[in-house]
PDB file of all heavy atoms in Angstrom:
ATOM      1  N   TYR A 105      66.815 175.697 113.337  1.00 98.00           N
ATOM      2  CA  TYR A 105      65.773 175.398 112.355  1.00 98.00           C
ATOM      3  C   TYR A 105      66.356 174.490 111.285  1.00 98.00           C
ATOM      4  O   TYR A 105      67.476 174.704 110.815  1.00 98.00           O
ATOM      5  CB  TYR A 105      65.261 176.704 111.717  1.00 98.00           C
ATOM      6  CG  TYR A 105      64.148 176.454 110.737  1.00 98.00           C
ATOM      7  CD1 TYR A 105      62.865 176.175 111.185  1.00 98.00           C
ATOM      8  CD2 TYR A 105      64.389 176.472 109.370  1.00 98.00           C
ATOM      9  CE1 TYR A 105      61.841 175.910 110.288  1.00 98.00           C
ATOM     10  CE2 TYR A 105      63.366 176.217 108.469  1.00 98.00           C
ATOM     11  CZ  TYR A 105      62.094 175.931 108.934  1.00 98.00           C
ATOM     12  OH  TYR A 105      61.088 175.669 108.039  1.00 98.00           O
ATOM     13  N   PHE A 106      65.597 173.465 110.909  1.00 98.00           N
ATOM     14  CA  PHE A 106      66.003 172.552 109.836  1.00 98.00           C
ATOM     15  C   PHE A 106      65.206 172.896 108.586  1.00 98.00           C
ATOM     16  O   PHE A 106      63.977 172.888 108.618  1.00 98.00           O
ATOM     17  CB  PHE A 106      65.728 171.105 110.235  1.00 98.00           C
ATOM     18  CG  PHE A 106      66.640 170.580 111.306  1.00 98.00           C
ATOM     19  CD1 PHE A 106      66.412 170.885 112.647  1.00 98.00           C
ATOM     20  CD2 PHE A 106      67.729 169.771 110.989  1.00 98.00           C
ATOM     21  CE1 PHE A 106      67.252 170.396 113.642  1.00 98.00           C
ATOM     22  CE2 PHE A 106      68.566 169.281 111.972  1.00 98.00           C
ATOM     23  CZ  PHE A 106      68.328 169.599 113.303  1.00 98.00           C
ATOM     24  N   GLY A 107      65.889 173.210 107.508  1.00 98.00           N
ATOM     25  CA  GLY A 107      65.192 173.562 106.279  1.00 98.00           C
ATOM     26  C   GLY A 107      66.133 173.483 105.091  1.00 98.00           C
ATOM     27  O   GLY A 107      67.167 172.820 105.163  1.00 98.00           O
ATOM     28  N   PHE A 108      65.797 174.177 104.018  1.00 98.00           N
ATOM     29  CA  PHE A 108      66.669 174.164 102.840  1.00 98.00           C
ATOM     30  C   PHE A 108      66.470 175.444 102.042  1.00 98.00           C
ATOM     31  O   PHE A 108      65.388 176.036 102.054  1.00 98.00           O
ATOM     32  CB  PHE A 108      66.459 172.910 101.994  1.00 98.00           C
ATOM     33  CG  PHE A 108      65.110 172.798 101.321  1.00 98.00           C
ATOM     34  CD1 PHE A 108      65.005 172.795  99.931  1.00 98.00           C
ATOM     35  CD2 PHE A 108      63.950 172.682 102.062  1.00 98.00           C
ATOM     36  CE1 PHE A 108      63.779 172.667  99.298  1.00 98.00           C
ATOM     37  CE2 PHE A 108      62.711 172.559 101.431  1.00 98.00           C
ATOM     38  CZ  PHE A 108      62.624 172.552 100.059  1.00 98.00           C
ATOM     39  N   THR A 109      67.525 175.857 101.355  1.00 98.00           N
ATOM     40  CA  THR A 109      67.510 177.182 100.730  1.00 98.00           C
ATOM     41  C   THR A 109      66.566 177.256  99.529  1.00 98.00           C
ATOM     42  O   THR A 109      66.157 178.347  99.145  1.00 98.00           O
ATOM     43  CB  THR A 109      68.920 177.607 100.268  1.00 98.00           C
ATOM     44  OG1 THR A 109      69.361 176.715  99.253  1.00 98.00           O
ATOM     45  CG2 THR A 109      69.909 177.595 101.415  1.00 98.00           C
ATOM     46  N   TYR A 110      66.238 176.109  98.921  1.00 96.00           N
ATOM     47  CA  TYR A 110      65.331 176.127  97.763  1.00 96.00           C
ATOM     48  C   TYR A 110      63.867 176.112  98.188  1.00 96.00           C
ATOM     49  O   TYR A 110      62.982 176.078  97.334  1.00 96.00           O
ATOM     50  CB  TYR A 110      65.606 174.927  96.837  1.00 96.00           C
ATOM     51  CG  TYR A 110      66.875 175.063  96.027  1.00 96.00           C
ATOM     52  CD1 TYR A 110      68.123 174.903  96.626  1.00 96.00           C
ATOM     53  CD2 TYR A 110      66.828 175.352  94.663  1.00 96.00           C
ATOM     54  CE1 TYR A 110      69.285 175.029  95.891  1.00 96.00           C
ATOM     55  CE2 TYR A 110      67.988 175.481  93.924  1.00 96.00           C
ATOM     56  CZ  TYR A 110      69.216 175.325  94.540  1.00 96.00           C
ATOM     57  OH  TYR A 110      70.365 175.454  93.810  1.00 96.00           O
ATOM     58  N   CYS A 111      63.610 176.120  99.484  1.00 95.00           N
ATOM     59  CA  CYS A 111      62.227 176.061  99.984  1.00 95.00           C
ATOM     60  C   CYS A 111      61.486 177.323  99.548  1.00 95.00           C
ATOM     61  O   CYS A 111      61.946 178.439  99.784  1.00 95.00           O
ATOM     62  CB  CYS A 111      62.213 175.945 101.500  1.00 95.00           C
ATOM     63  SG  CYS A 111      60.558 175.820 102.188  1.00 95.00           S
ATOM     64  N   PRO A 112      60.314 177.164  98.913  1.00 91.00           N
ATOM     65  CA  PRO A 112      59.628 178.334  98.386  1.00 91.00           C
ATOM     66  C   PRO A 112      58.942 179.201  99.443  1.00 91.00           C
ATOM     67  O   PRO A 112      58.819 180.398  99.263  1.00 91.00           O
ATOM     68  CB  PRO A 112      58.588 177.731  97.429  1.00 91.00           C
ATOM     69  CG  PRO A 112      58.354 176.346  97.932  1.00 91.00           C
ATOM     70  CD  PRO A 112      59.647 175.898  98.568  1.00 91.00           C
ATOM     71  N   ASP A 113      58.458 178.615 100.518  1.00 91.00           N
ATOM     72  CA  ASP A 113      57.663 179.444 101.431  1.00 91.00           C
ATOM     73  C   ASP A 113      57.903 179.243 102.915  1.00 91.00           C
ATOM     74  O   ASP A 113      58.209 180.196 103.615  1.00 91.00           O
ATOM     75  CB  ASP A 113      56.171 179.285 101.123  1.00 91.00           C
ATOM     76  CG  ASP A 113      55.796 177.837 100.867  1.00 91.00           C
ATOM     77  OD1 ASP A 113      56.427 176.949 101.463  1.00 91.00           O
ATOM     78  OD2 ASP A 113      54.885 177.589 100.055  1.00 91.00           O
ATOM     79  N   VAL A 114      57.760 178.009 103.407  1.00 95.00           N
ATOM     80  CA  VAL A 114      57.779 177.807 104.866  1.00 95.00           C
ATOM     81  C   VAL A 114      59.119 178.206 105.479  1.00 95.00           C
ATOM     82  O   VAL A 114      59.169 178.943 106.462  1.00 95.00           O
ATOM     83  CB  VAL A 114      57.424 176.343 105.237  1.00 95.00           C
ATOM     84  CG1 VAL A 114      57.482 176.145 106.743  1.00 95.00           C
ATOM     85  CG2 VAL A 114      56.034 176.002 104.723  1.00 95.00           C
ATOM     86  N   CYS A 115      60.219 177.759 104.877  1.00 97.00           N
ATOM     87  CA  CYS A 115      61.541 178.056 105.459  1.00 97.00           C
ATOM     88  C   CYS A 115      61.810 179.559 105.537  1.00 97.00           C
ATOM     89  O   CYS A 115      62.208 180.050 106.596  1.00 97.00           O
ATOM     90  CB  CYS A 115      62.653 177.351 104.701  1.00 97.00           C
ATOM     91  SG  CYS A 115      62.635 175.565 104.928  1.00 97.00           S
ATOM     92  N   PRO A 116      61.591 180.319 104.448  1.00 97.00           N
ATOM     93  CA  PRO A 116      61.828 181.763 104.562  1.00 97.00           C
ATOM     94  C   PRO A 116      60.967 182.404 105.649  1.00 97.00           C
ATOM     95  O   PRO A 116      61.433 183.282 106.380  1.00 97.00           O
ATOM     96  CB  PRO A 116      61.437 182.296 103.176  1.00 97.00           C
ATOM     97  CG  PRO A 116      61.561 181.130 102.259  1.00 97.00           C
ATOM     98  CD  PRO A 116      61.248 179.915 103.074  1.00 97.00           C
ATOM     99  N   THR A 117      59.716 181.944 105.773  1.00 97.00           N
ATOM    100  CA  THR A 117      58.833 182.501 106.804  1.00 97.00           C
ATOM    101  C   THR A 117      59.384 182.230 108.196  1.00 97.00           C
ATOM    102  O   THR A 117      59.466 183.134 109.041  1.00 97.00           O
ATOM    103  CB  THR A 117      57.418 181.882 106.690  1.00 97.00           C
ATOM    104  OG1 THR A 117      56.960 182.085 105.350  1.00 97.00           O
ATOM    105  CG2 THR A 117      56.448 182.512 107.662  1.00 97.00           C
ATOM    106  N   GLU A 118      59.763 180.970 108.441  1.00 98.00           N
ATOM    107  CA  GLU A 118      60.226 180.600 109.785  1.00 98.00           C
ATOM    108  C   GLU A 118      61.567 181.258 110.112  1.00 98.00           C
ATOM    109  O   GLU A 118      61.812 181.651 111.254  1.00 98.00           O
ATOM    110  CB  GLU A 118      60.306 179.077 109.925  1.00 98.00           C
ATOM    111  CG  GLU A 118      58.957 178.369 109.795  1.00 98.00           C
ATOM    112  CD  GLU A 118      57.909 178.872 110.781  1.00 98.00           C
ATOM    113  OE1 GLU A 118      58.251 179.053 111.970  1.00 98.00           O
ATOM    114  OE2 GLU A 118      56.762 179.121 110.375  1.00 98.00           O
ATOM    115  N   ILE A 143      68.473 170.284 105.332  1.00 98.00           N
ATOM    116  CA  ILE A 143      68.092 168.880 105.153  1.00 98.00           C
ATOM    117  C   ILE A 143      68.234 168.523 103.664  1.00 98.00           C
ATOM    118  O   ILE A 143      67.758 167.484 103.221  1.00 98.00           O
ATOM    119  CB  ILE A 143      66.672 168.589 105.695  1.00 98.00           C
ATOM    120  CG1 ILE A 143      65.651 169.664 105.319  1.00 98.00           C
ATOM    121  CG2 ILE A 143      66.682 168.488 107.208  1.00 98.00           C
ATOM    122  CD1 ILE A 143      65.064 169.550 103.976  1.00 98.00           C
ATOM    123  N   TYR A 156      72.573 182.654 101.320  1.00 98.00           N
ATOM    124  CA  TYR A 156      71.192 182.604 101.798  1.00 98.00           C
ATOM    125  C   TYR A 156      71.039 183.188 103.204  1.00 98.00           C
ATOM    126  O   TYR A 156      70.102 183.950 103.463  1.00 98.00           O
ATOM    127  CB  TYR A 156      70.734 181.150 101.782  1.00 98.00           C
ATOM    128  CG  TYR A 156      69.268 180.915 102.049  1.00 98.00           C
ATOM    129  CD1 TYR A 156      68.308 181.235 101.097  1.00 98.00           C
ATOM    130  CD2 TYR A 156      68.846 180.335 103.243  1.00 98.00           C
ATOM    131  CE1 TYR A 156      66.961 181.000 101.333  1.00 98.00           C
ATOM    132  CE2 TYR A 156      67.503 180.085 103.486  1.00 98.00           C
ATOM    133  CZ  TYR A 156      66.564 180.417 102.526  1.00 98.00           C
ATOM    134  OH  TYR A 156      65.243 180.172 102.767  1.00 98.00           O
ATOM    135  N   THR A 197      62.013 168.750  95.210  1.00 93.00           N
ATOM    136  CA  THR A 197      61.845 169.586  96.391  1.00 93.00           C
ATOM    137  C   THR A 197      61.951 168.694  97.617  1.00 93.00           C
ATOM    138  O   THR A 197      62.166 167.487  97.502  1.00 93.00           O
ATOM    139  CB  THR A 197      60.523 170.379  96.342  1.00 93.00           C
ATOM    140  OG1 THR A 197      60.492 171.286  97.438  1.00 93.00           O
ATOM    141  CG2 THR A 197      59.312 169.476  96.379  1.00 93.00           C
ATOM    142  N   MET A 198      61.871 169.305  98.794  1.00 96.00           N
ATOM    143  CA  MET A 198      61.995 168.530 100.023  1.00 96.00           C
ATOM    144  C   MET A 198      60.743 168.738 100.869  1.00 96.00           C
ATOM    145  O   MET A 198      60.235 169.845 100.986  1.00 96.00           O
ATOM    146  CB  MET A 198      63.216 168.985 100.848  1.00 96.00           C
ATOM    147  CG  MET A 198      64.560 168.861 100.155  1.00 96.00           C
ATOM    148  SD  MET A 198      65.074 167.173  99.800  1.00 96.00           S
ATOM    149  CE  MET A 198      65.317 166.491 101.440  1.00 96.00           C
ATOM    150  N   ASP A 199      60.284 167.629 101.445  1.00 96.00           N
ATOM    151  CA  ASP A 199      59.204 167.690 102.410  1.00 96.00           C
ATOM    152  C   ASP A 199      59.888 167.617 103.778  1.00 96.00           C
ATOM    153  O   ASP A 199      60.808 166.827 103.945  1.00 96.00           O
ATOM    154  CB  ASP A 199      58.301 166.472 102.180  1.00 96.00           C
ATOM    155  CG  ASP A 199      57.002 166.579 102.938  1.00 96.00           C
ATOM    156  OD1 ASP A 199      56.683 167.677 103.406  1.00 96.00           O
ATOM    157  OD2 ASP A 199      56.313 165.544 103.051  1.00 96.00           O
ATOM    158  N   HIS A 200      59.468 168.444 104.715  1.00 97.00           N
ATOM    159  CA  HIS A 200      60.155 168.392 106.014  1.00 97.00           C
ATOM    160  C   HIS A 200      59.315 168.983 107.133  1.00 97.00           C
ATOM    161  O   HIS A 200      58.446 169.828 106.884  1.00 97.00           O
ATOM    162  CB  HIS A 200      61.510 169.117 105.940  1.00 97.00           C
ATOM    163  CG  HIS A 200      61.398 170.596 105.700  1.00 97.00           C
ATOM    164  ND1 HIS A 200      61.499 171.517 106.709  1.00 97.00           N
ATOM    165  CD2 HIS A 200      61.193 171.314 104.566  1.00 97.00           C
ATOM    166  CE1 HIS A 200      61.373 172.733 106.192  1.00 97.00           C
ATOM    167  NE2 HIS A 200      61.174 172.648 104.899  1.00 97.00           N
ATOM    168  N   SER A 201      59.578 168.545 108.347  1.00 96.00           N
ATOM    169  CA  SER A 201      58.927 169.151 109.508  1.00 96.00           C
ATOM    170  C   SER A 201      59.583 170.503 109.746  1.00 96.00           C
ATOM    171  O   SER A 201      60.714 170.728 109.337  1.00 96.00           O
ATOM    172  CB  SER A 201      59.050 168.243 110.740  1.00 96.00           C
ATOM    173  OG  SER A 201      60.392 167.899 110.982  1.00 96.00           O
ATOM    174  N   ALA A 202      58.861 171.422 110.374  1.00 96.00           N
ATOM    175  CA  ALA A 202      59.323 172.819 110.401  1.00 96.00           C
ATOM    176  C   ALA A 202      59.226 173.440 111.795  1.00 96.00           C
ATOM    177  O   ALA A 202      58.761 174.552 111.956  1.00 96.00           O
ATOM    178  CB  ALA A 202      58.535 173.639 109.385  1.00 96.00           C
TER     179      ALA A 202
HETATM  180 NI1  LIG B   1      60.883 174.497 103.953  1.00 64.08          NI
END
Side-chain angles (χ1 to χ4, degrees):
Y105 182 76
F106 289 80
F108 67 116
T109 64
Y110 286 74
C111 182
D113 43 32
V114 179
C115 291
T117 305
E118 297 304 316
I143 43 82
Y156 189 73
T197 187
M198 300 294 294
D199 191 14
H200 66 100
S201 54

